[in-house]
Amino acid sequence: MKALKTLLATTLVLTVAAACGGTGAASTTGDGAKKTVTVYTADGLADWYKTRFDAFTQKTGIKVQTVEAGSGEVVSRLQKEKSNPQADVVVTLPPFIQKADKDGLLQKYAVPGADHVKGVKGDDYVTVVDNYLCFIANAQAGTPKTFDDLLDPRFKGKLQYSTPGQAGDGTAVLLLLQHLLGKDGALSYLKKLEANNVGPSASTGKLQPKVSKGELLVANGDVQMNAASIANDKSAFSIFFPAVQGKRTTLALPYVMGLGAGAPNADGGKQLMDYLLSTDAQQTISKDAYGLPARDDVQPADANFTAVQKATDGVEVWQPDWAAVLTDLDADVAAYTKAVG
């Protein structure tokens, strides 16, 4: 099965990998050689980044610093800095990577090995980690089996999903329901679900601890992030895929990377992108972070890879037309906002 975050995040978490000393643009040595690459990234891949960036620094001498936020906020930050770019590499989810490309925030770069990527890719971006949309439930919720189950009054004030148009995973919820129920049907369903919904959330990741503690019983998420949280943080929730008419369906929701337009250290950014899509780095995604390799010539055999395959067994994966999604996105989000009040 081919593998499966925000526009208004209130905070950005700055993570400096490999003991980077600064938080601004790429630093330089006395001879002008740039020694830092800055990555603007959607949250979720910190575990993989830590090991890979350390290895990249050991190999090249180039340090990596990351600015981590929600999917849409990554692009919003790029837009604000368009006249003075700070990002060398950009990693976010569709359709936000396509929006960044459309807005001229990426530049063309053909990453070696991209021909082995069968998922989302274009002249200016390529999938680096495959992933899927899912939902999570606290044990008190039992195991909801269908989307209709989530309308049960017992979930009132105990259910939350990240906001479409702001969070990548939240946008994916809207898109999946459109796929399953049609656009009108999706809006009708989400209007009913609003009776149980706690309210907007710009970050999917922030819902995880709430479900684990029982503050929420159900939330949306994605397989990579949620599986890693269960394993590493001992989060008390399970992953599930609600069905419609007896069929469980999800959508492919990969992490996609591109080279930032006007990147201060474009050469270093290219080196990092080359490394992240290399077979050596791709082989470690499941072991380090429960993600799935983007390359079709990499087949891990670790227990985490097997666990992800098992979690998605029997679930149909839908591959959206992201260009069409981007074309309709503003109108769809406006219709959604109106429907849920």
Side-chain angles (χ1 to χ4, degrees), residues 97-98 100-102 105-112 114-115 117 119-127 256-261 270 273 277:
I97 193 72
Q98 287 84 1
D101 188 27
K102 181 180 178 181
L105 302 174
L106 304 175
Q107 59 176 299
K108 183 177 296 186
Y109 179 56
V111 185
D115 56 316
V117 175
V120 176
K121 61 181 177 180
D123 291 340
D124 301 344
Y125 53 84
V126 63
T127 295
V256 187
M257 67 178 176
L259 187 65
K270 291 176 181 178
M273 292 172 68
L277 202 64

Side-chain angles (χ1 to χ4, degrees), residues 15-77:
T15 306
V16 180
C20 297
T23 59
S27 59
T28 62
T29 61
D31 61 1
K34 294 174 179 176
K35 290 298 181 180
T36 300
V37 169
T38 299
V39 180
Y40 281 16
T41 179
D43 49 353
L45 291 177
D47 292 329
W48 187 56
Y49 285 157
K50 178 63 172 69
T51 57
R52 290 312 100 208
F53 291 171
D54 284 351
F56 176 75
T57 299
Q58 291 177 4
K59 180 179 179 180
T60 66
I62 301 173
K63 297 179 181 180
V64 184
Q65 62 181 16
T66 66
V67 176
E68 184 180 88
S71 309
E73 176 60 21
V74 169
V75 178
S76 178
R77 187 178 177 104

Side-chain angles (χ1 to χ4, degrees), residues 78 145 186 196 332:
L78 292 173
K145 297 184 181 301
N196 290 342
D332 286 346

Side-chain angles (χ1 to χ4, degrees), residues 2-331:
K2 281 297 292 180
L4 171 232
K5 275 185 198 195
T6 25
L7 205 51
L8 296 174
T10 57
T11 60
L12 289 174
V13 180
L14 180 64
T15 306
V16 180
C20 297
T23 59
S27 59
T28 62
T29 61
D31 61 1
K34 294 174 179 176
K35 290 298 181 180
T36 300
V37 169
T38 299
V39 180
Y40 281 16
T41 179
D43 49 353
L45 291 177
D47 292 329
W48 187 56
Y49 285 157
K50 178 63 172 69
T51 57
R52 290 312 100 208
F53 291 171
D54 284 351
F56 176 75
T57 299
Q58 291 177 4
K59 180 179 179 180
T60 66
I62 301 173
K63 297 179 181 180
V64 184
Q65 62 181 16
T66 66
V67 176
E68 184 180 88
S71 309
E73 176 60 21
V74 169
V75 178
S76 178
R77 187 178 177 104
L78 292 173
Q79 291 168 329
K80 293 173 183 176
E81 297 173 352
K82 191 170 185 178
S83 62
N84 183 29
Q86 301 296 307
D88 299 308
V89 177
V90 179
V91 182
T92 191
L93 307 189
F96 299 106
I97 193 72
Q98 287 84 1
K99 179 173 176 56
D101 188 27
K102 181 180 178 181
D103 292 349
L105 302 174
L106 304 175
Q107 59 176 299
K108 183 177 296 186
Y109 179 56
V111 185
D115 56 316
H116 285 286
V117 175
K118 304 306 179 185
V120 176
K121 61 181 177 180
D123 291 340
D124 301 344
Y125 53 84
V126 63
T127 295
V128 64
V129 177
D130 272 329
N131 198 13
Y132 309 99
L133 171 71
C134 69
F135 287 76
I136 55 176
N138 183 279
Q140 300 175 55
T143 305
K145 297 184 181 301
T146 70
F147 275 104
D148 283 345
D149 288 345
L150 303 184
L151 300 177
D152 192 305
R154 71 190 181 93
F155 291 124
K156 183 176 179 62
K158 290 288 188 177
L159 177 150
Q160 192 171 19
Y161 62 95
S162 50
T163 306
Q166 299 181 18
D169 291 325
T171 303
V173 170
L174 175 61
L175 295 175
L176 179 61
L177 288 168
Q178 288 178 339
H179 173 65
L180 297 172
L181 305 175
K183 291 194 175 187
D184 290 342
L187 294 179
S188 177
Y189 172 82
L190 289 169
K191 185 175 181 178
K192 295 175 185 176
L193 188 64
E194 196 65 13
N196 290 342
N197 187 23
V198 171
S201 173
S203 170
T204 312
K206 291 182 179 180
L207 302 181
Q208 292 185 125
K210 294 181 181 181
V211 178
S212 184
K213 294 174 184 177
E215 295 174 22
L216 295 173
L217 295 181
V218 173
N220 69 314
D222 63 70
V223 173
Q224 178 274 322
M225 178 176 67
N226 297 151
S229 183
I230 292 170
N232 301 331
D233 303 327
K234 309 307 177 187
S235 293
F237 52 66
S238 59
I239 293 171
F240 73 102
F241 301 87
V244 170
Q245 295 182 345
K247 182 170 67 175
R248 295 183 302 154
T249 306
T250 187
L251 60 77
L253 196 62
Y255 295 89
V256 187
M257 67 178 176
L259 187 65
N265 188 2
D267 289 341
K270 291 176 181 178
Q271 290 183 63
L272 181 60
M273 292 172 68
D274 293 355
Y275 174 69
L276 293 179
L277 202 64
S278 70
T279 55
D280 287 348
Q282 289 280 298
Q283 191 74 35
T284 68
I285 292 170
S286 53
K287 177 176 66 69
D288 289 349
Y290 285 86
L292 297 174
R295 295 179 60 130
D296 64 4
D297 59 345
V298 174
Q299 291 293 321
D302 58 90
N304 293 355
F305 180 80
T306 301
V308 172
Q309 295 294 91
K310 183 178 180 180
T312 56
D313 186 41
V315 182
E316 181 178 302
V317 178
W318 172 52
Q319 300 277 357
D321 179 345
W322 291 109
V325 168
L326 183 60
T327 297
D328 294 346
L329 184 61
D330 288 345

